[in-house]
Amino acid sequence: MKLRERFWLWGHPEKCYNNMYGNKGISRMTPMEACLYLGVRNTFMVPDGEHDGTRVNRRQYNKSFKTLLKTGWEFGGESITAKGDTKIIDDYLEDCKEFPNISCAVFDDFKKDGRYKNIPLEKFNIIMDKLHNNDIKSLQTWMVLYTHEFGLDKQVDEDFQPYINAFDGVIMWTWCEKDVVLIPEKFEIFKKMTPNHHRMFGCYLWNFGEEKEATAKAVKWQLDWYRERILAGEAEGVVLHTNTMADLDLDAYDAAIEWMKLHGDEEVN
């Protein structure tokens, strides 16, 4: 397997972050275009932007993703985590019939502001069981977990651990670029919290946490460090965030593209 086949895009509807998070540029790049541009072979699709009244058409995006190895959609919204509504899972499983590269579901911002507490663990486990065990396809489940959300209070971490255990995999993200220096230390804690899980890293190509451009230096450092962890067997891949600034001539994106040209075709086990 080539290293680029371990990389994912964190995709959003095109244009959804124009004039947001400090970004003044006007982007038009779609998630599939960004996969091609960045040289990655998988995507998580996160339908941000529905707040403007326009529903994201999953089928249209799934058709554009047909040449990708794996795709997965975000399911951490209020319909599941607050209401326990599983109809969206039924609809998603129907999508799997037509689009066999759909392989997983991801829960974004699952711990943010205590959102996970809105649904009892017993009820959440029922939801997860439906994703894993059904008549159509067993889907791998992923959680987003930020470095500022663990390793601060041992009791809080212990209370959250049963929810982590409900997932197959966890993606470790760092929200603010100023905290990139903490990644090695945080990863040691992260490994202890995910002893039997699949692991990936998230890498921001725009500094959303501080509402400004990401630096090429920080992006390259992260990708180099994450590559070492992949080669060591401590993690499976990296998720690049996101398509919505990819066509704005930003140094961080250029650095990611050059890095992928250098390392993307390396063979990994």
Side-chain angles (χ1 to χ4, degrees):
M1 175 180 286
K2 296 184 184 301
L3 185 59
R4 70 175 70 253
E5 294 173 347
R6 299 286 194 93
F7 273 65
W8 295 63
L9 174 78
W10 191 262
H12 292 298
E14 56 275 16
K15 304 179 183 179
C16 78
Y17 287 152
N18 288 347
N19 296 309
M20 294 182 67
Y21 294 101
N23 168 42
K24 303 302 181 183
I26 303 300
S27 171
R28 55 156 299 281
M29 189 171 285
T30 67
M32 187 60 205
E33 288 174 330
C35 287
L36 295 171
Y37 184 55
L38 295 167
V40 304
R41 300 291 290 121
N42 314 280
T43 188
F44 291 112
M45 183 63 191
V46 185
D48 282 5
E50 292 188 343
H51 57 272
D52 64 1
T54 302
R55 295 290 295 177
V56 168
N57 187 315
R58 277 209 313 267
R59 189 170 188 275
Q60 287 183 323
Y61 280 104
N62 283 329
K63 285 177 74 70
S64 75
F65 298 150
K66 287 188 74 171
T67 59
L68 295 178
L69 296 176
K70 295 180 181 179
T71 67
W73 283 70
E74 196 273 331
F75 281 88
E78 292 299 315
S79 61
I80 288 182
T81 52
K83 302 176 183 177
D85 180 9
T86 61
K87 184 180 183 303
I88 190 172
I89 296 176
D90 294 326
D91 295 340
Y92 191 48
L93 291 170
E94 287 297 314
D95 292 344
C96 294
K97 292 180 179 180
E98 183 175 2
F99 304 103
N101 62 348
I102 296 175
S103 65
C104 57
V106 62
F107 287 68
D108 188 20
D109 291 337
F110 186 69
K111 196 182 182 193
K112 183 179 179 181
D113 300 325
R115 175 188 289 183
Y116 71 96
K117 297 178 182 179
N118 291 332
I119 182 167
L121 180 62
E122 297 78 12
K123 196 168 186 179
F124 186 68
N125 280 332
I126 293 173
I127 292 168
M128 301 300 275
D129 183 68
K130 186 170 187 176
L131 287 165
H132 288 126
N133 303 297
N134 55 74
D135 295 332
I136 297 174
K137 186 174 190 177
S138 179
L139 295 170
Q140 195 174 61
T141 57
W142 287 89
M143 175 208 295
V144 166
L145 187 64
Y146 284 97
T147 53
H148 64 262
E149 293 178 324
F150 66 89
L152 304 175
D153 185 307
K154 183 177 180 181
Q155 187 60 54
V156 171
D157 289 348
E158 290 178 357
D159 291 345
F160 187 59
Q161 190 65 46
Y163 283 91
I164 293 178
N165 294 342
F167 287 87
D168 299 307
V170 188
I171 312 169
M172 190 183 91
W173 294 80
T174 296
W175 179 240
C176 294
E177 188 175 291
K178 66 179 178 61
D179 293 332
V180 165
V181 295
L182 302 177
I183 286 174
E185 174 187 346
K186 285 288 188 173
F187 185 60
E188 292 304 311
I189 302 171
F190 182 72
K191 285 193 294 184
K192 293 177 181 178
M193 298 173 72
T194 57
N196 301 308
H197 292 75
H198 301 280
R199 305 185 190 111
M200 286 200 285
F201 300 103
C203 181
Y204 279 99
L205 304 181
W206 177 270
N207 186 354
F208 279 74
E210 297 168 271
E211 299 193 348
K212 59 184 180 181
E213 289 188 33
T215 65
K217 180 180 179 181
V219 168
K220 184 180 183 302
W221 183 91
Q222 287 176 82
L223 295 178
D224 286 341
W225 198 84
Y226 297 156
R227 172 179 170 270
E228 291 176 3
R229 304 284 77 71
I230 293 170
L231 295 178
E234 295 180 314
E236 293 184 6
V238 177
V239 186
L240 299 178
H241 190 294
T242 175
N243 59 290
T244 56
M245 287 84 162
D247 52 352
L248 300 181
D249 292 325
L250 301 174
D251 290 344
Y253 281 87
D254 291 343
I257 291 167
E258 289 303 312
W259 189 93
M260 191 63 72
K261 287 180 181 177
L262 182 63
H263 296 289
D265 292 322
E266 293 175 352
E267 294 290 337
V268 293
N269 295 326

